[in-house]
Amino acid sequence: MTKEPRFIENPVLRGFHPDPSIVRVGEDYYLATSTFEWFPGVRLHHSRDLRHWNPIGYALDRRSQLDLLGNPRSGGIWAPCLSHAGGVFYLVYTDVKSWGHGFVDAHNYYVTASRIEGPWSEPVALNRGGFDPSMFHDEDGRAWLTNMVWDHRPGNNQFPGIVLQELDLQQRRLVGEPRWIFTGSGRGLTEGPHLYRRGGHYYLLVAEGGTSYEHAAVMARSRRIEGPYEIDPSAPLLTSHHDPGLELQKAGHASLVETTTGEWYLAHLCGRPLPGERRCILGRETALQRVRWTEDGWLTLDAERPAAPAVRVPAPRLPDHPFEEAPARDHFDRGALGVAYQALRDVPDESWVSLRERPGHLRVRGRESPQSLHRQSVVGRRIQSLRCRVETCLEFEPASFQQMAGLMALYDDENFFYALLSHDESAGRSIALLGSEHGKLTWLARPVAFSAPRLHLRFELSGKKLQFSSSEDGERFDALGPVLDASLLSDERTSLGMGFTGAFAALCAHDLTGKSLPADFDYLDYAELPREP
């Protein structure tokens, strides 16, 4: 009796999970993805079959490893590279302090750990000439660093190519001089390099075209690590640029893994825009494609359509290994925040967020405004489906209009919707809905008196439609404001026209008086809903 074929359903990491770096250690597979201005930094997932993936935590969980205070929106952690050699995990990453206006301040580091769960070491500084650093461990034991170089000079190509430099892991520093090894295929915006060695060749896999709808993955090879590198004559290896009808758009920024069964897969970035629109609320996600080596030693997608990313991909010949799903409701009855949560730029410590002060509740102390790039009190989780419902219940006793707490649907500090409990001179303790588009604030529902001790807040997302509602008892909910255009929370609606994160559902408190008034949240529900017929 033959077994039914099994498939990988893409994206394997839904919602904001860009720039995937994949590695196999024994029979275990790991993915590292970018986290930008959200803390902790570098999200990690684990799999045994490439079909099922389980979040296991974050690599950079201490301020000594990562200080994001003041980092710009879509700055912070860009494009980590995860590798393993000699029983040690290595993680290379960029902390971007400025970008988008000519200059880029990109600080490159690496950390190490004996176990993927950590603890990870203090960071070792590498260079600052560009971003997307990647570590390659050669067969002779030497290690090499590649990264793109940024050219800020007016009129020049800002993405002139990829450099290579030896990394002495014993001395923990770069040695020798960087060497230019690749200037791109002509698509432009060459970045995201990864090196591999197979069959007498070094293979250089890069991203090109920019991380939007022209994105692509391109391969080149050389007999010598320093080059020269010849470009695959069939390039690109992967792109969705040629077909706007593909479900997976923005395909590019890829990395490779070989399974224990000798099968090869490509982990890559993708985006799923709203139907009929070029706007991605869920951000850039991670997908897997099956690939194979040709007789002449190049890599190609193992699919009917060359270079086109597929939603359904044949799975490797590995035993199924599913993981237990997290419950929809978090009662905040554990000693630490769950792996689903991140904080905006700041370390979530007891000074402003606590599960201990009132057991069974998440206590969030209000600090700076929703547009601060420093000490906001925001704890969020990714929105991972275009059909979902998010709900919470809070207790909060504001005495000033400058004190507010509630539930946010946000992309960043410029674009968000905020259902809040606050104080108004006329209405007293009141609920309202505040919107921010490119930093301009608008009342979407003006303050209305609310006297019940507990406020239940909810929003429901259905495609581009977003509806907030409120309740006194958690049973009967009334609409709070109009049906909103959720595409405000997309990559494409940022002030620069290109954001790198994705939509979040967040619990938050803000106290502009400086009194750090706390809000107590009883639970957070995140439930994905069936697709509409």
Side-chain angles (χ1 to χ4, degrees):
M1 184 175 179
T2 59
K3 291 184 178 180
E4 288 291 324
R6 294 172 304 158
F7 294 91
I8 294 169
E9 300 290 340
N10 283 315
V12 292
L13 304 185
R14 296 176 300 117
F16 162 43
H17 292 98
D19 310 324
S21 174
I22 192 167
V23 68
R24 176 175 65 85
V25 181
E27 296 182 350
D28 296 287
Y29 302 83
Y30 302 102
L31 275 168
T33 50
S34 299
T35 43
F36 295 90
E37 68 262 43
W38 290 90
F39 191 98
V42 184
R43 189 161 162 88
L44 301 170
H45 282 78
H46 169 235
S47 178
R48 301 270 292 185
D49 59 9
L50 298 189
R51 298 178 66 222
H52 305 92
W53 291 87
N54 186 48
I56 55 176
Y58 303 87
L60 309 175
D61 58 6
R62 308 186 297 275
R63 195 185 303 279
S64 60
Q65 295 172 314
L66 180 63
D67 187 350
L68 293 173
L69 296 182
N71 277 41
R73 63 192 67 93
S74 289
I77 296 297
W78 287 16
C81 172
L82 182 64
S83 61
H84 185 269
V88 176
F89 286 97
Y90 294 86
L91 181 71
V92 192
Y93 60 94
T94 303
D95 179 7
V96 174
K97 297 301 185 184
S98 68
W99 75 280
H101 300 285
F103 288 98
V104 171
D105 289 291
H107 301 192
N108 296 321
Y109 303 93
Y110 81 88
V111 291
T112 61
S114 58
R115 301 173 61 249
I116 192 72
E117 298 85 359
W120 289 82
S121 70
E122 291 300 299
V124 176
L126 293 169
N127 61 30
R128 297 186 181 184
F131 46 84
D132 294 0
S134 177
M135 189 183 296
F136 170 66
H137 306 270
D138 208 344
E139 295 171 357
D140 60 3
R142 297 166 79 183
W144 300 85
L145 187 80
T146 55
N147 61 267
M148 67 81 65
V149 172
W150 180 262
D151 189 340
H152 63 269
R153 293 172 294 180
N156 281 19
N157 178 8
Q158 293 179 320
F159 291 75
I162 306 301
V163 294
L164 172 80
Q165 191 170 3
E166 188 169 359
L167 175 58
D168 189 321
L169 296 177
Q170 296 299 317
Q171 298 184 53
R172 302 198 306 167
R173 65 182 183 90
L174 293 167
V175 295
E177 294 298 320
R179 311 175 192 181
W180 290 93
I181 61 169
F182 191 63
T183 57
S185 71
R187 287 178 169 267
L189 286 76
T190 304
E191 57 185 340
H194 293 298
L195 272 173
Y196 303 92
R197 189 171 182 178
R198 182 181 184 273
H201 280 100
Y202 291 92
Y203 288 88
L204 178 65
L205 181 61
V206 299
E208 292 195 329
T211 186
S212 189
Y213 294 93
E214 296 76 31
H215 210 192
V218 172
M219 182 165 272
R221 70 184 181 187
S222 172
R223 292 286 183 183
R224 300 171 62 250
I225 194 168
E226 300 91 349
Y229 282 82
E230 61 170 323
I231 300 167
D232 180 357
S234 300
L237 171 62
L238 175 75
T239 189
S240 351
H241 183 210
H242 60 287
D243 188 351
L246 290 170
E247 184 172 338
L248 303 182
Q249 291 292 310
K250 303 184 178 182
H253 201 118
S255 59
L256 276 170
V257 70
E258 183 183 11
T259 68
T260 54
T261 52
E263 300 162 277
W264 288 81
Y265 285 83
L266 187 78
H268 68 92
L269 174 160
C270 66
R272 292 179 293 165
L274 289 164
E277 300 191 32
R278 289 166 74 87
R279 292 176 177 174
C280 294
I281 295 174
L282 304 180
R284 299 169 304 152
E285 307 171 286
T286 288
L288 292 173
Q289 305 297 326
R290 186 181 176 94
V291 291
R292 60 179 174 81
W293 295 96
T294 63
E295 291 184 1
D296 55 354
W298 290 107
L299 199 65
T300 185
L301 292 194
D302 191 6
E304 293 180 3
R305 299 186 61 185
V311 172
R312 210 159 183 250
V313 173
R317 299 183 301 274
L318 297 171
D320 269 359
H321 192 92
F323 297 94
E324 182 179 352
E325 290 190 15
R329 174 164 291 194
D330 187 346
H331 292 279
F332 298 126
D333 52 4
R334 293 174 292 180
L337 282 171
V339 71
Y341 300 105
Q342 286 181 280
L344 193 55
R345 292 185 177 86
D346 204 2
V347 180
D349 60 32
E350 288 284 327
S351 69
W352 66 272
V353 60
S354 177
L355 291 162
R356 301 175 185 174
E357 290 186 17
R358 187 180 175 188
H361 293 76
L362 180 69
R363 173 162 288 180
V364 182
R365 295 188 177 277
R367 297 185 299 167
E368 295 177 2
S369 81
Q371 294 179 340
S372 172
L373 301 183
H374 294 84
R375 292 179 172 85
Q376 274 204 63
S377 297
V378 174
V379 177
R381 60 148 296 149
R382 289 155 177 77
I383 295 175
Q384 297 178 272
S385 170
L386 291 174
R387 291 270 298 156
C388 66
R389 181 185 297 125
V390 179
E391 182 183 320
T392 190
C393 176
L394 73 148
E395 297 173 46
F396 186 58
E397 297 296 333
S400 165
F401 72 94
Q402 292 182 315
Q403 296 170 324
M404 63 203 89
L407 175 65
M408 297 182 84
L410 79 158
Y411 188 88
D412 58 22
D413 55 274
E414 279 196 323
N415 289 352
F416 59 80
F417 302 110
Y418 187 179
L420 57 89
L421 181 61
S422 185
H423 180 88
D424 179 78
E425 292 89 343
S426 300
R429 185 170 177 268
S430 52
I431 58 173
L433 182 61
L434 184 67
S436 175
E437 181 173 359
H438 297 167
K440 182 181 179 180
L441 300 179
T442 306
W443 283 125
L444 302 168
R446 290 187 173 274
V448 175
F450 186 86
S451 59
R454 290 162 58 87
L455 170 63
H456 297 259
L457 290 171
R458 172 189 287 178
F459 71 71
E460 186 167 316
L461 176 66
S462 180
K464 68 180 294 183
K465 297 178 180 179
L466 181 67
Q467 177 68 68
F468 279 84
S469 55
S470 64
S471 172
E472 292 186 5
D473 59 10
E475 298 292 333
R476 180 178 177 273
F477 280 82
D478 297 314
L480 180 61
V483 175
L484 303 169
D485 179 3
S487 72
L488 176 68
L489 310 178
S490 65
D491 296 340
E492 294 77 13
R493 290 284 294 274
T494 65
S495 57
L496 289 174
M498 179 174 60
F500 298 148
T501 56
F504 271 69
L507 308 179
C508 54
H510 301 89
D511 188 348
L512 311 187
T513 71
K515 295 179 180 179
S516 301
L517 187 70
D520 289 340
F521 294 89
D522 187 13
Y523 62 85
L524 179 67
D525 265 356
Y526 173 83
E528 297 187 358
L529 306 175
R531 287 190 177 187
E532 293 180 332

PDB file of all heavy atoms in Angstrom, residues 89 94 99 125 136 138 151 201 213 258 261 268 280 289 357 375-376 391 456 465 483:
ATOM      1  N   PHE A  89      26.657  27.005  17.583  1.00  0.00           N
ATOM      2  CA  PHE A  89      25.791  27.817  16.733  1.00  0.00           C
ATOM      3  C   PHE A  89      26.386  29.214  16.615  1.00  0.00           C
ATOM      4  O   PHE A  89      26.832  29.796  17.614  1.00  0.00           O
ATOM      5  CB  PHE A  89      24.384  27.930  17.328  1.00  0.00           C
ATOM      6  CG  PHE A  89      23.561  26.675  17.205  1.00  0.00           C
ATOM      7  CD1 PHE A  89      23.486  25.776  18.261  1.00  0.00           C
ATOM      8  CD2 PHE A  89      22.863  26.399  16.033  1.00  0.00           C
ATOM      9  CE1 PHE A  89      22.722  24.626  18.158  1.00  0.00           C
ATOM     10  CE2 PHE A  89      22.100  25.249  15.921  1.00  0.00           C
ATOM     11  CZ  PHE A  89      22.032  24.363  16.984  1.00  0.00           C
ATOM     12  N   THR A  94      22.646  42.285  11.660  1.00  0.00           N
ATOM     13  CA  THR A  94      22.858  43.720  11.555  1.00  0.00           C
ATOM     14  C   THR A  94      21.885  44.441  12.483  1.00  0.00           C
ATOM     15  O   THR A  94      20.703  44.087  12.544  1.00  0.00           O
ATOM     16  CB  THR A  94      22.613  44.213  10.117  1.00  0.00           C
ATOM     17  OG1 THR A  94      23.454  43.495   9.221  1.00  0.00           O
ATOM     18  CG2 THR A  94      22.902  45.694   9.988  1.00  0.00           C
ATOM     19  N   TRP A  99      18.412  54.608   8.305  1.00  0.00           N
ATOM     20  CA  TRP A  99      18.289  54.166   6.924  1.00  0.00           C
ATOM     21  C   TRP A  99      17.218  55.012   6.241  1.00  0.00           C
ATOM     22  O   TRP A  99      16.465  55.727   6.902  1.00  0.00           O
ATOM     23  CB  TRP A  99      17.917  52.680   6.833  1.00  0.00           C
ATOM     24  CG  TRP A  99      16.483  52.378   7.158  1.00  0.00           C
ATOM     25  CD1 TRP A  99      15.920  52.272   8.396  1.00  0.00           C
ATOM     26  CD2 TRP A  99      15.412  52.194   6.212  1.00  0.00           C
ATOM     27  NE1 TRP A  99      14.584  52.029   8.300  1.00  0.00           N
ATOM     28  CE2 TRP A  99      14.242  51.973   6.970  1.00  0.00           C
ATOM     29  CE3 TRP A  99      15.337  52.196   4.826  1.00  0.00           C
ATOM     30  CZ2 TRP A  99      13.000  51.745   6.365  1.00  0.00           C
ATOM     31  CZ3 TRP A  99      14.102  51.985   4.232  1.00  0.00           C
ATOM     32  CH2 TRP A  99      12.951  51.749   4.994  1.00  0.00           C
ATOM     33  N   ALA A 125      31.677  42.604  17.750  1.00  0.00           N
ATOM     34  CA  ALA A 125      31.536  43.570  16.660  1.00  0.00           C
ATOM     35  C   ALA A 125      32.354  43.135  15.453  1.00  0.00           C
ATOM     36  O   ALA A 125      33.488  42.674  15.585  1.00  0.00           O
ATOM     37  CB  ALA A 125      31.969  44.959  17.127  1.00  0.00           C
ATOM     38  N   PHE A 136      30.280  31.863   6.546  1.00  0.00           N
ATOM     39  CA  PHE A 136      30.482  30.602   5.835  1.00  0.00           C
ATOM     40  C   PHE A 136      31.642  29.856   6.471  1.00  0.00           C
ATOM     41  O   PHE A 136      32.727  30.414   6.663  1.00  0.00           O
ATOM     42  CB  PHE A 136      30.782  30.860   4.360  1.00  0.00           C
ATOM     43  CG  PHE A 136      31.238  29.641   3.607  1.00  0.00           C
ATOM     44  CD1 PHE A 136      30.385  28.574   3.404  1.00  0.00           C
ATOM     45  CD2 PHE A 136      32.534  29.557   3.107  1.00  0.00           C
ATOM     46  CE1 PHE A 136      30.814  27.441   2.720  1.00  0.00           C
ATOM     47  CE2 PHE A 136      32.972  28.436   2.411  1.00  0.00           C
ATOM     48  CZ  PHE A 136      32.103  27.373   2.228  1.00  0.00           C
ATOM     49  N   ASP A 138      34.214  26.945   5.930  1.00  0.00           N
ATOM     50  CA  ASP A 138      34.765  26.142   4.845  1.00  0.00           C
ATOM     51  C   ASP A 138      35.255  24.794   5.366  1.00  0.00           C
ATOM     52  O   ASP A 138      35.419  24.587   6.587  1.00  0.00           O
ATOM     53  CB  ASP A 138      35.902  26.906   4.155  1.00  0.00           C
ATOM     54  CG  ASP A 138      36.052  26.515   2.691  1.00  0.00           C
ATOM     55  OD1 ASP A 138      35.501  25.470   2.291  1.00  0.00           O
ATOM     56  OD2 ASP A 138      36.725  27.255   1.943  1.00  0.00           O
ATOM     57  N   ASP A 151      26.716  52.273  -0.631  1.00  0.00           N
ATOM     58  CA  ASP A 151      27.386  53.458  -1.172  1.00  0.00           C
ATOM     59  C   ASP A 151      26.403  54.629  -1.108  1.00  0.00           C
ATOM     60  O   ASP A 151      25.419  54.671  -1.858  1.00  0.00           O
ATOM     61  CB  ASP A 151      27.825  53.202  -2.614  1.00  0.00           C
ATOM     62  CG  ASP A 151      28.731  54.308  -3.163  1.00  0.00           C
ATOM     63  OD1 ASP A 151      28.707  55.418  -2.596  1.00  0.00           O
ATOM     64  OD2 ASP A 151      29.442  54.056  -4.154  1.00  0.00           O
ATOM     65  N   HIS A 201      32.754  23.558  -6.415  1.00  0.00           N
ATOM     66  CA  HIS A 201      32.396  24.952  -6.639  1.00  0.00           C
ATOM     67  C   HIS A 201      31.977  25.616  -5.321  1.00  0.00           C
ATOM     68  O   HIS A 201      31.417  24.983  -4.429  1.00  0.00           O
ATOM     69  CB  HIS A 201      31.214  25.065  -7.613  1.00  0.00           C
ATOM     70  CG  HIS A 201      31.600  24.938  -9.049  1.00  0.00           C
ATOM     71  ND1 HIS A 201      31.430  23.764  -9.756  1.00  0.00           N
ATOM     72  CD2 HIS A 201      32.142  25.830  -9.927  1.00  0.00           C
ATOM     73  CE1 HIS A 201      31.848  23.934 -11.006  1.00  0.00           C
ATOM     74  NE2 HIS A 201      32.281  25.178 -11.131  1.00  0.00           N
ATOM     75  N   TYR A 213       8.108  43.833  -4.981  1.00  0.00           N
ATOM     76  CA  TYR A 213       7.530  42.982  -6.012  1.00  0.00           C
ATOM     77  C   TYR A 213       8.503  42.621  -7.120  1.00  0.00           C
ATOM     78  O   TYR A 213       8.218  41.753  -7.936  1.00  0.00           O
ATOM     79  CB  TYR A 213       6.262  43.646  -6.568  1.00  0.00           C
ATOM     80  CG  TYR A 213       5.178  43.730  -5.517  1.00  0.00           C
ATOM     81  CD1 TYR A 213       5.037  44.853  -4.721  1.00  0.00           C
ATOM     82  CD2 TYR A 213       4.331  42.640  -5.294  1.00  0.00           C
ATOM     83  CE1 TYR A 213       4.065  44.903  -3.735  1.00  0.00           C
ATOM     84  CE2 TYR A 213       3.359  42.685  -4.308  1.00  0.00           C
ATOM     85  CZ  TYR A 213       3.229  43.819  -3.524  1.00  0.00           C
ATOM     86  OH  TYR A 213       2.279  43.865  -2.531  1.00  0.00           O
ATOM     87  N   GLU A 258      20.136  21.065   2.996  1.00  0.00           N
ATOM     88  CA  GLU A 258      20.035  19.689   2.514  1.00  0.00           C
ATOM     89  C   GLU A 258      19.499  18.826   3.644  1.00  0.00           C
ATOM     90  O   GLU A 258      19.989  18.885   4.780  1.00  0.00           O
ATOM     91  CB  GLU A 258      21.393  19.161   2.054  1.00  0.00           C
ATOM     92  CG  GLU A 258      21.322  17.752   1.482  1.00  0.00           C
ATOM     93  CD  GLU A 258      22.676  17.193   1.081  1.00  0.00           C
ATOM     94  OE1 GLU A 258      23.705  17.817   1.438  1.00  0.00           O
ATOM     95  OE2 GLU A 258      22.712  16.124   0.436  1.00  0.00           O
ATOM     96  N   THR A 261      17.869  13.097   4.056  1.00  0.00           N
ATOM     97  CA  THR A 261      17.561  12.169   2.967  1.00  0.00           C
ATOM     98  C   THR A 261      18.154  12.629   1.640  1.00  0.00           C
ATOM     99  O   THR A 261      17.843  12.061   0.585  1.00  0.00           O
ATOM    100  CB  THR A 261      16.030  12.027   2.823  1.00  0.00           C
ATOM    101  OG1 THR A 261      15.447  13.338   2.728  1.00  0.00           O
ATOM    102  CG2 THR A 261      15.444  11.306   4.027  1.00  0.00           C
ATOM    103  N   HIS A 268      12.767  31.012   1.691  1.00  0.00           N
ATOM    104  CA  HIS A 268      12.794  32.340   1.076  1.00  0.00           C
ATOM    105  C   HIS A 268      11.702  33.245   1.650  1.00  0.00           C
ATOM    106  O   HIS A 268      10.702  32.792   2.205  1.00  0.00           O
ATOM    107  CB  HIS A 268      12.653  32.241  -0.445  1.00  0.00           C
ATOM    108  CG  HIS A 268      11.297  31.766  -0.918  1.00  0.00           C
ATOM    109  ND1 HIS A 268      10.267  32.629  -1.226  1.00  0.00           N
ATOM    110  CD2 HIS A 268      10.824  30.511  -1.126  1.00  0.00           C
ATOM    111  CE1 HIS A 268       9.212  31.932  -1.598  1.00  0.00           C
ATOM    112  NE2 HIS A 268       9.516  30.646  -1.555  1.00  0.00           N
ATOM    113  N   CYS A 280       0.518  44.381   1.579  1.00  0.00           N
ATOM    114  CA  CYS A 280       0.714  43.196   2.423  1.00  0.00           C
ATOM    115  C   CYS A 280       0.553  43.580   3.890  1.00  0.00           C
ATOM    116  O   CYS A 280       1.462  44.147   4.496  1.00  0.00           O
ATOM    117  CB  CYS A 280       2.089  42.587   2.185  1.00  0.00           C
ATOM    118  SG  CYS A 280       2.309  41.906   0.530  1.00  0.00           S
ATOM    119  N   GLN A 289      10.721  26.078  -0.857  1.00  0.00           N
ATOM    120  CA  GLN A 289      10.577  25.485  -2.178  1.00  0.00           C
ATOM    121  C   GLN A 289      11.543  24.315  -2.315  1.00  0.00           C
ATOM    122  O   GLN A 289      12.669  24.377  -1.827  1.00  0.00           O
ATOM    123  CB  GLN A 289      10.861  26.507  -3.288  1.00  0.00           C
ATOM    124  CG  GLN A 289      10.028  27.764  -3.216  1.00  0.00           C
ATOM    125  CD  GLN A 289       8.544  27.517  -3.375  1.00  0.00           C
ATOM    126  OE1 GLN A 289       8.124  26.608  -4.118  1.00  0.00           O
ATOM    127  NE2 GLN A 289       7.732  28.318  -2.695  1.00  0.00           N
ATOM    128  N   GLU A 357       3.037  41.036  39.733  1.00  0.00           N
ATOM    129  CA  GLU A 357       2.417  41.995  40.645  1.00  0.00           C
ATOM    130  C   GLU A 357       0.951  41.682  40.896  1.00  0.00           C
ATOM    131  O   GLU A 357       0.444  41.870  42.003  1.00  0.00           O
ATOM    132  CB  GLU A 357       2.563  43.415  40.091  1.00  0.00           C
ATOM    133  CG  GLU A 357       3.996  43.924  40.131  1.00  0.00           C
ATOM    134  CD  GLU A 357       4.095  45.382  39.720  1.00  0.00           C
ATOM    135  OE1 GLU A 357       3.058  46.090  39.715  1.00  0.00           O
ATOM    136  OE2 GLU A 357       5.215  45.828  39.400  1.00  0.00           O
ATOM    137  N   ARG A 375      10.806  54.590  24.922  1.00  0.00           N
ATOM    138  CA  ARG A 375      10.247  53.739  25.976  1.00  0.00           C
ATOM    139  C   ARG A 375       8.722  53.713  25.930  1.00  0.00           C
ATOM    140  O   ARG A 375       8.041  54.298  26.756  1.00  0.00           O
ATOM    141  CB  ARG A 375      10.758  54.188  27.344  1.00  0.00           C
ATOM    142  CG  ARG A 375      12.249  53.924  27.517  1.00  0.00           C
ATOM    143  CD  ARG A 375      12.763  54.392  28.870  1.00  0.00           C
ATOM    144  NE  ARG A 375      14.136  53.952  29.090  1.00  0.00           N
ATOM    145  CZ  ARG A 375      15.215  54.605  28.658  1.00  0.00           C
ATOM    146  NH1 ARG A 375      15.067  55.753  27.982  1.00  0.00           N
ATOM    147  NH2 ARG A 375      16.426  54.141  28.891  1.00  0.00           N
ATOM    148  N   GLN A 376       8.216  53.018  24.928  1.00  0.00           N
ATOM    149  CA  GLN A 376       6.783  52.744  24.862  1.00  0.00           C
ATOM    150  C   GLN A 376       6.470  51.479  25.652  1.00  0.00           C
ATOM    151  O   GLN A 376       7.273  50.542  25.688  1.00  0.00           O
ATOM    152  CB  GLN A 376       6.352  52.544  23.418  1.00  0.00           C
ATOM    153  CG  GLN A 376       6.009  53.792  22.655  1.00  0.00           C
ATOM    154  CD  GLN A 376       5.072  53.467  21.505  1.00  0.00           C
ATOM    155  OE1 GLN A 376       3.952  53.010  21.722  1.00  0.00           O
ATOM    156  NE2 GLN A 376       5.546  53.696  20.294  1.00  0.00           N
ATOM    157  N   GLU A 391      -9.025  39.695  21.126  1.00  0.00           N
ATOM    158  CA  GLU A 391      -9.843  40.216  22.218  1.00  0.00           C
ATOM    159  C   GLU A 391      -9.035  40.273  23.505  1.00  0.00           C
ATOM    160  O   GLU A 391      -8.171  39.426  23.754  1.00  0.00           O
ATOM    161  CB  GLU A 391     -11.074  39.330  22.422  1.00  0.00           C
ATOM    162  CG  GLU A 391     -12.028  39.812  23.510  1.00  0.00           C
ATOM    163  CD  GLU A 391     -13.189  38.852  23.720  1.00  0.00           C
ATOM    164  OE1 GLU A 391     -13.720  38.327  22.722  1.00  0.00           O
ATOM    165  OE2 GLU A 391     -13.546  38.624  24.892  1.00  0.00           O
ATOM    166  N   HIS A 456     -13.941  45.159  27.993  1.00  0.00           N
ATOM    167  CA  HIS A 456     -13.564  44.152  27.003  1.00  0.00           C
ATOM    168  C   HIS A 456     -13.428  44.847  25.655  1.00  0.00           C
ATOM    169  O   HIS A 456     -14.331  45.579  25.232  1.00  0.00           O
ATOM    170  CB  HIS A 456     -14.626  43.053  26.910  1.00  0.00           C
ATOM    171  CG  HIS A 456     -14.807  42.269  28.164  1.00  0.00           C
ATOM    172  ND1 HIS A 456     -14.267  41.021  28.340  1.00  0.00           N
ATOM    173  CD2 HIS A 456     -15.465  42.573  29.304  1.00  0.00           C
ATOM    174  CE1 HIS A 456     -14.584  40.574  29.551  1.00  0.00           C
ATOM    175  NE2 HIS A 456     -15.317  41.501  30.148  1.00  0.00           N
ATOM    176  N   LYS A 465     -10.931  44.704   5.786  1.00  0.00           N
ATOM    177  CA  LYS A 465     -11.907  45.303   6.690  1.00  0.00           C
ATOM    178  C   LYS A 465     -11.535  45.013   8.139  1.00  0.00           C
ATOM    179  O   LYS A 465     -11.292  43.855   8.503  1.00  0.00           O
ATOM    180  CB  LYS A 465     -13.312  44.774   6.391  1.00  0.00           C
ATOM    181  CG  LYS A 465     -13.824  45.137   5.007  1.00  0.00           C
ATOM    182  CD  LYS A 465     -15.195  44.535   4.764  1.00  0.00           C
ATOM    183  CE  LYS A 465     -15.717  44.883   3.373  1.00  0.00           C
ATOM    184  NZ  LYS A 465     -17.047  44.269   3.134  1.00  0.00           N
ATOM    185  N   VAL A 483     -16.159  50.643  10.175  1.00  0.00           N
ATOM    186  CA  VAL A 483     -15.292  49.630   9.561  1.00  0.00           C
ATOM    187  C   VAL A 483     -14.091  50.358   8.961  1.00  0.00           C
ATOM    188  O   VAL A 483     -14.238  51.334   8.222  1.00  0.00           O
ATOM    189  CB  VAL A 483     -16.044  48.841   8.475  1.00  0.00           C
ATOM    190  CG1 VAL A 483     -15.093  47.872   7.761  1.00  0.00           C
ATOM    191  CG2 VAL A 483     -17.218  48.085   9.081  1.00  0.00           C
TER     192      VAL A 483
END
